[in-house]
Amino acid sequence: TPLTTLRGNLGLLRRDPPIPLDEQTDILTDMTDESDRMIRLVNNLLVLARADAGRSITREPFQILPVLEESCRQARQLDPQREISLDAADLSILGDRDAFKQVLLIGLDNALKHSKGPVFVSAAPKGGLVEVRVQDHGEGIAPEKLEHIFDRFYRGEEAATISGFGLGLPIAKSLVTAMGGEISMHSQLGLGSTLLLSFPAAG
């Protein structure tokens, strides 16, 4: 879609006689926005390709609390009016710090886009694992959609009203799998959704 829009706008700019100056300005703004969107799409595809190939993903012990705090703080900047609470112990997991943070930001961004109330993030030990949850109280996801939530480019019926490419959760799944963890989405209509992440505990 970004390329189609860019190609169409270039055609408008090549018209003879030229289109009015104010329309040219609008078209150039539109082309800048679409170029930025194309960059985001390509970057997402590169992240997926690297994760699929298992490149640049380490499995080292690190403390997750600082990463959780950083991610929640950054997510609050996306929507300062929203409450994002964190309840987490100072736990360590085996994984990749940067990949872990990217997964959290994807989960938080997803929760902010698909709900209007507070978002809750928590982390707790469970056996030899550490479980991290990102929970919202939105409309929830229907069962027939839930089974496709990690499919690449799947966006459901709300594609026209919510920005994105349908790559966020697939990227999260690829990164979590590369770290030796597990990811799942639990949801009930009218009650909200919870992204559940499980990682091997360190130490």
Side-chain angles (χ1 to χ4, degrees):
T1 303
L3 287 174
T4 303
T5 303
L6 287 169
R7 183 64 184 86
N9 283 336
L10 284 170
L12 290 173
L13 291 175
R14 293 183 63 184
R15 280 189 178 177
D16 190 17
I19 61 175
L21 189 59
D22 58 334
E23 290 185 29
Q24 291 184 35
T25 301
D26 290 341
I27 287 173
L28 289 172
T29 300
D30 188 35
M31 291 176 70
T32 300
D33 292 342
E34 289 301 298
S35 297
D36 290 340
R37 204 157 75 93
M38 191 68 196
I39 289 169
R40 291 196 299 272
L41 174 58
V42 171
N43 283 336
N44 284 339
L45 292 171
L46 286 172
V47 170
L48 270 176
R50 292 190 188 108
D52 288 347
R55 295 177 184 171
S56 304
I57 301 294
T58 60
R59 294 187 65 186
E60 300 173 342
F62 68 94
Q63 293 179 306
I64 65 170
L65 185 56
V67 187
L68 292 168
E69 291 172 339
E70 287 174 20
S71 301
C72 289
R73 185 172 64 250
Q74 291 179 11
R76 291 186 190 104
Q77 294 173 3
L78 297 174
D79 192 346
Q81 307 303 316
R82 297 285 288 280
E83 177 188 352
I84 300 176
S85 62
L86 173 62
D87 179 16
D90 195 7
L91 302 165
S92 295
I93 68 169
L94 287 172
D96 184 295
R97 189 187 192 280
D98 290 341
F100 179 72
K101 182 176 180 180
Q102 186 162 5
V103 171
L104 285 174
L105 290 174
I106 288 170
L108 285 163
D109 181 61
N110 205 58
L112 290 173
K113 283 180 177 177
H114 295 277
S115 69
K116 296 182 179 179
V119 176
F120 301 95
V121 181
S122 63
K126 186 175 183 181
L129 301 173
V130 171
E131 287 192 346
V132 179
R133 297 172 183 265
V134 180
Q135 181 180 8
D136 67 61
H137 293 286
E139 297 180 359
I141 306 167
E144 64 271 15
K145 295 180 182 178
L146 194 60
E147 63 184 70
H148 297 290
I149 204 74
F150 294 106
D151 293 352
R152 298 176 185 190
F153 300 106
Y154 179 77
R155 302 208 44 223
E157 297 171 358
E158 65 280 351
T161 58
I162 298 177
S163 62
F165 301 105
L167 286 173
L169 288 175
I171 286 174
K173 183 175 182 179
S174 292
L175 293 174
V176 170
T177 301
M179 286 188 282
E182 294 185 1
I183 183 172
S184 58
M185 181 74 80
H186 305 268
S187 187
Q188 286 185 278
L189 286 175
L191 296 177
S193 305
T194 300
L195 183 68
L196 176 61
L197 312 169
S198 297
F199 298 96

